[in-house]
Amino acid sequence: MTIRFTAAVAACAIASTAAAAEHQDPHQLARDLFKQLVEIKTTESGLGSTPAAEAMAQRLLDAGFPAEDVHVVGPGGRKQNLVARLKGTGRKRPVLLIGHLDVVEALREDWSVDPFVFLEKDGYFYGRGTQDMKDGDAIMMTTLLRYRAEGYKPDRDIILALTADEEGSNANGVDWLLKNRRELVDAEFVLNHDGGGVMLEDGRAVQVDLTASEKVYADFDLTVTNPGGHSSVPPRENAIYSLARALDRVSSYDFAFELNNVTRAYFEHTAKHSAAEQAAVLRGVLQTPPDPEALEQLSGDPVYNAIVRTTCVATRLSGGHANNALPQTARANVNCRILPGHSPEEVRQELVKVVADPTVKVRYYNFLTEQLDDVAPNVRGYAPPPLRPDVLKPLEKVAAKMWPGAPVVPAMAVGASDSIYTNAAGLPTYMVSGSALARDDIRAHGQDERLGVQAFYNAVDFFYDYLKAVVAYR
Ligand SMILES: [Zn+2]
């Protein structure tokens, strides 16, 4: 009796909260979630991800999600992840939505406002994570809560994973879930809200990105050591000179030109929407083999150059210990962004060849362990997954309605995200977001991070329509 009575009361509570959520203004709901997330300090030095994962789990339970579909899991302690499931008819395999809860550090004294107080000012929401990516977390949560409140039964389960340690440290939530709780997150494909997006120029949407490919990040340490000695009797051999020559060779070296299905599609789309001269260059590069003159011209643009080849650049330099002594050590950091399909070890070996001096040691710098390794990881950045029509077509349709005239452009990110884990695990991953940013207002990881108020609400509306269109696509 008692049990049945409790169950009945619980069912009532569920019905009334679900009804409340349905009648709640979706923008207000999204804003509340956004505020709540920004004000939980999910930095490494702060609280970690656990309080945010728990808070979002509570929101879902309050809205009537069954406890069996809401999990807070992880290695324990500060780095827990939320995994929630909106059950569908099971006609198709699930879709997984991912977003990271952690944010990079932000110091009050560096900002003009408190980074952990959600503030609406002059048409913007300010706070750490407003661009990267508590906006996306709040938007995906809002979408799930709305679908649940309407009693929507999708053709496939929709799984949401909000995770730890995307920005670094050693408990990456997506990696952990795939290795330890695969059954919770297994899906036919993945939508990652940590990329894509709408590009604004003079306040107008000009492009909607579909990011389906990423470069891999790697640091290499170049070190030369000499016995040293007095600088009054210098031999020819000198650590600083050797390192300078090595860096000079790196500076003039071009890694091989390469296109993949994503960057090829990117150039094809861009050519269609470019002025004649620019279009001719892009079409020249698309030829097989590429027109050498067009390629040279394209490579002169650092943004385009980074799309068609692996790049390596010196970013730090140190050496010597006294003005009147021969340097015993000289070292530099060379930062590389590696094209999909190639591994850091492959690039390290290529750097060794480019440097062409056995006295220059080329080692991999592992930023997680802060160690120098003689050999770099052999994992390859994932080959871009094919552009699925059920991801691309709905994006074209919804974007045309919301941002008329702004073409959908398949793109490659020059940074790296959690997509690397899902793709490596065989779950094709696409980065889609309706958040709009001006090209010159990218503040992720920076000071006074902010997102336009209207841009956020548009992104809320966008994702609600988009995800339904993806799930319903036939
Ligand atoms: Zn991010």
Side-chain angles (χ1 to χ4, degrees):
M1 276 301 280
T2 324
I3 291 164
R4 284 180 61 185
F5 176 73
T6 316
V9 170
C12 269
I14 287 163
S16 66
T17 32
E22 194 172 6
H23 294 299
Q24 194 177 1
D25 171 43
H27 290 176
Q28 189 58 46
L29 173 63
R31 189 190 194 281
D32 287 352
L33 287 159
F34 198 9
K35 174 176 164 50
Q36 187 179 12
L37 284 167
V38 167
E39 296 190 344
I40 300 174
K41 198 172 179 181
T42 55
T43 54
E44 179 66 21
S45 73
L47 303 170
S49 62
T50 301
E54 283 170 349
M56 293 303 106
Q58 196 54 52
R59 287 276 197 154
L60 294 164
L61 294 171
D62 289 349
F65 274 78
E68 66 188 38
D69 292 337
V70 179
H71 302 265
V72 175
V73 288
R78 298 155 30 91
K79 301 296 174 67
Q80 297 292 90
N81 311 287
L82 165 76
V83 184
R85 180 179 298 252
L86 180 76
K87 285 222 177 79
T89 62
R91 223 179 66 81
K92 292 185 265 186
R93 291 184 56 219
V95 55
L96 170 66
L97 316 177
I98 58 173
H100 62 85
L101 289 168
D102 58 316
V103 291
V104 295
E105 306 288 338
L107 297 175
R108 175 66 189 91
E109 56 267 34
D110 292 343
W111 283 47
S112 72
V113 296
D114 189 329
F116 298 99
V117 173
F118 186 75
L119 173 73
E120 182 175 341
K121 193 179 81 162
D122 308 328
Y124 289 91
F125 292 125
Y126 283 83
R128 173 55 90 221
T130 47
Q131 289 189 7
D132 184 15
M133 62 163 290
K134 286 176 168 170
D135 57 331
D137 299 336
I139 287 165
M140 292 188 288
M141 279 288 298
T142 303
T143 304
L144 241 64
L145 289 167
R146 291 174 71 189
Y147 287 177
R148 160 89 202 170
E150 334 171 321
Y152 172 54
K153 248 206 174 322
D155 275 352
R156 39 172 116 238
D157 288 5
I158 299 171
I159 306 168
L160 171 65
L162 298 180
T163 60
D165 275 3
E166 190 270 345
E167 302 289 5
S169 200
N170 50 12
N172 182 280
V174 173
D175 189 33
W176 188 92
L177 288 166
L178 288 164
K179 284 185 179 141
N180 299 283
R181 297 300 299 272
R182 174 88 184 219
E183 79 286 358
L184 286 182
V185 292
D186 207 26
E188 187 173 333
F189 61 97
V190 182
L191 298 175
N192 181 355
H193 210 290
D194 199 15
V198 181
M199 195 198 291
L200 298 175
E201 254 170 34
D202 305 319
R204 264 193 57 246
V206 294
Q207 183 176 312
V208 179
D209 279 354
L210 169 63
T211 311
S213 178
E214 295 173 327
K215 289 180 119 177
V216 169
Y217 179 107
D219 284 312
F220 296 95
D221 176 274
L222 272 53
T223 300
V224 185
T225 49
N226 281 166
H230 205 280
S231 60
S232 59
V233 284
R236 290 263 171 223
E237 196 86 282
N238 178 299
I240 290 176
Y241 293 156
S242 301
L243 182 67
R245 282 191 291 266
L247 292 174
D248 190 41
R249 285 191 281 268
V250 171
S251 81
S252 55
Y253 182 72
D254 277 336
F255 282 77
F257 164 86
E258 209 174 291
L259 290 177
N260 56 49
N261 65 340
V262 169
T263 53
R264 184 169 283 280
Y266 173 78
F267 283 135
E268 279 163 2
H269 278 72
T270 311
K272 266 190 234 156
H273 303 278
S274 300
E277 202 181 319
Q278 167 89 332
V281 171
L282 295 175
R283 296 214 170 91
V285 169
L286 285 164
Q287 288 170 22
T288 317
D291 174 60
E293 226 167 280
L295 181 54
E296 200 185 311
Q297 225 174 313
L298 184 98
S299 304
D301 178 325
V303 176
Y304 283 140
N305 188 54
I307 293 172
V308 299
R309 56 180 110 244
T310 293
T311 61
C312 289
V313 63
T315 51
R316 298 181 86 162
L317 185 63
S318 64
H321 55 281
N323 286 352
N324 59 357
L326 295 169
Q328 289 177 341
T329 308
R331 52 197 293 197
N333 185 76
V334 171
N335 178 250
C336 300
R337 306 300 173 111
I338 305 168
L339 278 184
H342 300 278
S343 70
E345 177 56 15
E346 217 177 303
V347 170
R348 194 191 68 80
Q349 288 178 17
E350 196 159 339
L351 284 174
V352 169
K353 275 194 208 129
V354 172
V355 163
D357 179 350
T359 69
V360 181
K361 242 191 178 164
V362 181
R363 286 176 294 182
Y364 175 74
Y365 175 72
N366 183 331
F367 71 91
L368 291 181
T369 60
E370 298 180 14
Q371 303 280 319
L372 293 176
D373 301 328
D374 289 339
V375 177
N378 234 325
V379 286
R380 273 156 224 282
Y382 58 88
L387 294 169
R388 295 172 62 105
D390 54 356
V391 170
L392 179 62
K393 297 288 172 201
L395 180 58
E396 288 174 340
K397 200 177 117 204
V398 181
K401 193 181 80 185
M402 293 202 63
W403 301 287
V408 171
V409 176
M412 177 176 70
V414 290
S417 78
D418 279 340
S419 302
I420 199 160
Y421 298 105
T422 44
N423 272 303
L427 279 53
T429 304
Y430 306 88
M431 298 167 89
V432 179
S433 149
S435 289
L437 289 177
R439 209 191 278 268
D440 56 3
D441 202 34
I442 311 289
R443 299 185 181 199
H445 300 201
Q447 293 164 17
D448 292 348
E449 190 176 344
R450 66 180 188 178
L451 180 65
V453 171
Q454 197 51 53
F456 175 67
Y457 292 145
N458 288 343
V460 171
D461 298 342
F462 161 80
F463 203 73
Y464 174 89
D465 287 348
Y466 173 65
L467 186 58
K468 270 196 178 175
V470 167
V471 171
Y473 186 86
R474 301 223 168 142

